[in-house]
Amino acid sequence: MYQSKRMILTIIIACQLIIVLDASIMITAIPQIGRSLHMTATSLTWVQNGYILPFGGFLLLGARAGDLLGRRRMLGIGIGLFSLASMLAGLAPTAEFLLVSRAFQGFAAALATPAALALLSASFVEAKERSRAIAIYSAVSAGGGSIGLLLGGFFTDFISWRVGMFINVPIGIALLYLVQRYIQKTGTRTGRFDFWGAIVSVIGMTAVVYGFVQAAERGWGKPETWISLAAGIILLAAFVLIEARATEPIIPLRLFANRQRSGAYLGRFLIVCGNFSLFFFIPQYLQNVLGFSSLEAGLAFLPFTGAQFGMMYLMPGLVHRFGNRKVLMAGLLLAIMGTLWISRIVGVQAQFFPQMFILLAIMGIGAGMVFQPLTALGLSDVDPQDTGAASGLINVAHQSGSSLGLAILISVFDAAIHTDQPSKIHFAHAISSSILGSVLFITSALIVTLICFLPASQPMREQALTDSCQGNEAS
C-alpha cells in the first residue's frame, strides 16, 4: 500500500511539475523567441498569457469533467492533449501558430490539474500523510516556475527554446503509461456541464488582461483599452449571475460561505499576482541590464528554488507546531521584506552577489511557507461532492493571479519607462517600479488573510471559529 501511494504521489507531482514548468520555461527564452518569430515586446507577453488564461479559465470545467467522467480518465486525456500541444508549440513556424498552440496547452493543463489534485486529496486521507503530500505538491507548484526558468535558459543558450516544448512529449507518454497502471479507475456520475459559465469566465478574464496589455502598448486614453476592461468586468459579473442560477455550476457559490476558505482563495490570488510577475521581470532585468545570458538568468533563481524546496521538508513540522495561520503570516512577512528590499537595490550598477542572492533566498523561504497552508485551508471542510470544484478553484486563483498580475504590472512597467528607446537606467527604474507593485500585491494578501482569519467578535462565533481553525491546522 505504501509503495502504491508513493507511486500515485510521484505521478501527480510529475504531472503538476510539467504543467507548472510550462508557465515559466519560455520566460528566459523570450528575447530569442521574439527574434526568431518577429514578435514585438508587447506581443511576447501573450506567450505567457496565451497559456495561463485558458489554463485558469477552463480549470473549473476540467474539475467538473473529472467529477462526472472520472478523474483518472480526465488526467489521462489532459496529459495526452498536453503532450500533443507541446509538440505543436515546439514546431511552431509563426507567432500565431505558437500562441494558438500555447492556448491549446493551457486548455489541456486545465483538464489534468484539478484531476491530479482531487486524486491526491482522495488518496491521502490520514492527517500526517496528507500534510506531507500537500507540502510536496505545494512546493512543486510554487517552485516549478523557477525550475522552468533554469531549464528554459539552458535549452535557449545551448540548443533551442523549442526543446522546452519537445521535452514534454516523452514525459507525457511515460505518465500516460503510469496513470493506467498505478491509478485505479475512479467512478463517474450523471450531471450537466456548465459550459456557458466556463466560456463567459474565460472571455471575461481575457478581456480584462487584454485591456491592461493595451494600456501598456497604446495608453489608458485609447477606446480599445477601456472598452476591453469594461467588457471584461461586465462578463465576469455575468459569470457570477450564471453560477448563482445554474443547476450544477462549475463554481458552487457555497464554497465561499466559509470565511477562511474564501480568504485562502483570495490570498492565493493576490500572492501569485505579485510572486509570478517577479519571474518575468527579474530575468529581463538580469539579461537587459546586467548582461546575463539566458542560462545565467535561470541559474540566478537557484537560491529562490533551493530555499523553497528546502522548506518542503520543514513545513509539516512547522504546521504541526505552530498551525497553518501563524506559518502563513510569517511566510508573507518574509516575502514582503525580501521583495521590498530587492525593489530598492535594482539599478544599473547593482551586483547579483551577495545582496540579490540573499534576498532571492529569503523570498524563496517566504514562498515556501505560504502555499501549503493556503492549499490546506482552501480544501478544508469541503463536502465530498465539491472536492473537484474546490481543487479547481485553488488552481483558478493561482493561474488567474499569474495572468492578471503580469498584465497589471506590465502596464506599470510601461508607465515608468517614459521613452520609446529606453536606456539601461530607464529599464532598471521601470523594473524597480514593477517589483514594488509586486510588494503591494503581497501586502494586500497579508491584509486579506489577517481579516479572514481573525476570530469573530461574538463569543459563540469566536469559539466556533477557534474550533474550526484548530481542526484546519491539524489537517
Side-chain angles (χ1 to χ4, degrees):
M1 177 65 71
Y2 174 76
Q3 293 293 332
S4 175
K5 284 191 173 182
R6 187 165 67 175
M7 180 56 70
I8 290 172
L9 182 60
T10 300
I11 293 168
I12 291 171
I13 294 305
C15 174
Q16 182 68 4
L17 181 59
I18 63 170
I19 287 171
V20 172
L21 280 175
D22 272 43
S24 64
I25 201 167
M26 294 291 218
I27 290 176
T28 44
I30 277 177
Q32 190 184 95
I33 294 172
R35 289 190 295 269
S36 63
L37 297 181
H38 310 292
M39 299 177 71
T40 66
T42 303
S43 64
L44 282 169
T45 63
W46 290 103
V47 175
Q48 293 303 111
N49 283 330
Y51 175 77
I52 295 169
L53 281 169
F55 185 7
F58 287 107
L59 269 168
L60 294 170
L61 191 66
R64 180 68 176 156
D67 290 340
L68 298 182
L69 304 178
R71 289 162 187 164
R72 188 186 78 164
R73 177 184 296 176
M74 293 313 301
L75 181 61
I77 292 173
I79 292 172
L81 292 177
F82 188 83
S83 302
L84 174 61
S86 298
M87 184 177 67
L88 294 175
L91 294 171
T94 65
E96 293 78 11
F97 194 98
L98 174 63
L99 297 182
V100 170
S101 299
R102 288 285 281 169
F104 186 19
Q105 270 188 308
F107 173 75
L111 300 182
T113 299
L117 184 54
L119 285 167
L120 181 146
S121 182
S123 301
F124 298 89
V125 294
E126 192 270 324
K128 187 174 181 180
E129 67 175 10
R130 175 183 254 200
S131 177
R132 180 170 177 78
I134 289 177
I136 297 172
Y137 180 91
S138 299
V140 168
S141 297
S146 50
I147 296 175
L149 293 177
L150 177 60
L151 287 177
F154 176 82
F155 292 141
T156 300
D157 276 357
F158 292 101
I159 312 174
S160 169
W161 63 267
R162 297 177 185 273
V163 178
M165 297 290 97
F166 289 140
I167 197 173
N168 292 327
V169 179
I171 296 174
I173 292 172
L175 283 175
L176 282 174
Y177 168 76
L178 293 174
V179 165
Q180 297 300 316
R181 178 168 181 178
Y182 290 101
I183 295 182
Q184 294 183 351
K185 187 176 181 180
T186 52
T188 63
R189 60 188 178 90
T190 57
R192 300 175 62 183
F193 287 104
D194 182 14
F195 180 76
W196 284 111
I199 292 295
V200 169
S201 66
V202 171
I203 297 174
M205 183 59 72
T206 301
V208 171
V209 170
Y210 181 77
F212 280 106
V213 173
Q214 287 296 102
E217 184 176 21
R218 298 178 181 272
W220 286 99
K222 298 295 182 181
E224 52 265 41
T225 299
W226 290 106
I227 290 172
S228 180
L229 289 172
I233 293 170
I234 291 170
L235 285 169
L236 291 176
F239 169 69
V240 175
L241 293 176
I242 290 171
E243 297 308 283
R245 298 179 180 181
T247 305
E248 299 183 41
I250 55 174
I251 297 185
L253 297 184
R254 59 182 173 270
L255 287 174
F256 297 99
N258 183 300
R259 188 175 65 171
Q260 292 182 91
R261 206 161 50 228
S262 297
Y265 299 143
L266 181 56
R268 192 184 198 97
F269 170 82
L270 291 168
I271 290 166
V272 177
C273 276
N275 205 46
F276 181 80
S277 301
L278 298 172
F279 289 88
F280 185 87
F281 289 111
I282 292 179
Q284 305 308 308
Y285 167 76
L286 294 173
Q287 292 180 75
N288 294 319
V289 177
L290 299 189
F292 281 35
S293 68
S294 298
L295 177 58
E296 288 170 340
L299 287 170
F301 268 81
L302 281 180
F304 186 100
T305 308
Q308 191 169 34
F309 274 97
M311 291 306 299
M312 174 181 70
Y313 297 98
L314 300 178
M315 282 299 294
L318 289 173
V319 170
H320 178 74
R321 182 173 180 181
F322 299 106
N324 280 316
R325 289 179 297 165
K326 291 180 180 179
V327 173
L328 173 59
M329 300 302 173
L332 285 169
L333 287 171
L334 283 174
I336 291 168
M337 181 181 71
T339 308
L340 178 61
W341 195 351
I342 211 169
S343 74
R344 308 323 303 160
I345 67 169
V346 167
V348 177
Q349 302 299 324
Q351 293 184 342
F352 176 77
F353 191 86
Q355 280 186 307
M356 288 188 70
F357 183 95
I358 294 171
L359 292 175
L360 284 169
I362 292 173
M363 292 157 63
I365 293 171
M369 294 174 68
V370 300
F371 287 106
Q372 179 192 345
L374 287 172
T375 300
L377 292 167
L379 292 172
S380 64
D381 300 325
V382 174
D383 292 334
Q385 70 268 24
D386 291 334
T387 301
S391 302
L393 194 52
I394 288 172
N395 284 289
V396 166
H398 203 102
Q399 300 308 321
S400 57
S402 300
S403 57
L404 189 58
L406 180 57
I408 291 172
L409 294 181
I410 282 174
S411 67
V412 172
F413 172 86
D414 185 76
I417 210 161
H418 295 310
T419 178
D420 293 332
Q421 295 181 329
S423 65
K424 287 185 177 182
I425 295 176
H426 292 115
F427 197 90
H429 170 70
I431 291 289
S432 176
S433 299
S434 301
I435 296 175
L436 190 59
S438 293
V439 175
L440 295 177
F441 275 124
I442 301 171
T443 303
S444 299
L446 176 61
I447 294 170
V448 165
T449 52
L450 281 170
I451 292 172
C452 290
F453 300 141
L454 283 176
S457 57
Q458 292 91 348
M460 291 183 64
R461 289 182 62 192
E462 181 175 355
Q463 184 61 45
L465 183 57
T466 302
D467 295 339
S468 176
C469 289
Q470 290 174 348
N472 287 337
E473 291 169 0
S475 68

